[in-house]
Amino acid sequence: MRIIVISYSFTGNNEALANSIAAEFAAEHIKITAIGPRTTGAIILDMILNRTPQINPITAQVEDKDLVLFVGPVWLGQVASPLRTCFKELKARLGQYAFISISGGALGPNSKLAGDLKKRVGKEPIALLDLHIADLLPPDPKPTLKDTGSYRLTDKDVIKSLTDTVVKTVRKIIS
Ligand SMILES: Cc1cc2nc3c(=O)[nH]c(=O)nc-3n(C[C@H](O)[C@H](O)[C@H](O)COP(=O)(O)O)c2cc1C
């Protein structure tokens, strides 16, 4: 089974994770980029108004026999809006997929994520891994939104450990 990684990242965390996952699977890696300037304000409006921002063309030829690993942030409890656009474009020819995120997690689990994915892609993922920055920080005092929002995933050992979790889970499912 061919594995393709398709990722979107605003501040670099999910890009760092996606780069590492793609390297581990020796997979083709497509990076989604939104057209035009992106601001936190525009992101919040996208999410509230259910917008799908324009993205640059997706270069991969995705076929239904491929396994696509989508990697990207969670915003306001949902999949980041540029990936919505990507789902719209790909869902007719998408086979199995997984969604992987390194999100903030300061307010606890993103409980609406599974439902959001199913609604937007039209089927459930084979794996949904919502990894949290809050779990990477000291538990006391409890990490705040400010702490998780300013965290940048650059530590090689941390990236490796998160990647191992993802790779192990995906390999177990597809073996
Ligand atoms: C506008 C906005 C909304 C966010 N909402 C959530 C959320 O609902 N749940 C969560 O766990 N993290 C949330 N986050 C945190 C991001 O998911 C987290 O910082 C992520 O690592 C950013 O990924 P990136 O660096 O790949 O863009 C939010 C971040 C932003 C900017």
Side-chain angles (χ1 to χ4, degrees), residues 9-14 43-44 73-77 102-105 110 133:
S9 182
F10 182 54
T11 56
N13 294 341
N14 284 279
I43 284 174
I44 292 171
V74 175
W75 289 339
L76 303 194
I102 176 74
S103 68
N110 293 297
I133 292 167

Side-chain angles (χ1 to χ4, degrees), residues 38-53 75-81 84 116 119-120:
R38 297 259 81 201
T39 60
T40 307
I43 284 174
I44 292 171
L45 280 178
D46 276 357
M47 303 314 287
I48 293 172
L49 303 176
N50 197 22
R51 293 195 302 215
T52 46
W75 289 339
L76 303 194
Q78 300 172 44
V79 178
S81 53
R84 289 177 176 169
D116 185 49
K119 183 178 89 183
R120 295 188 186 278

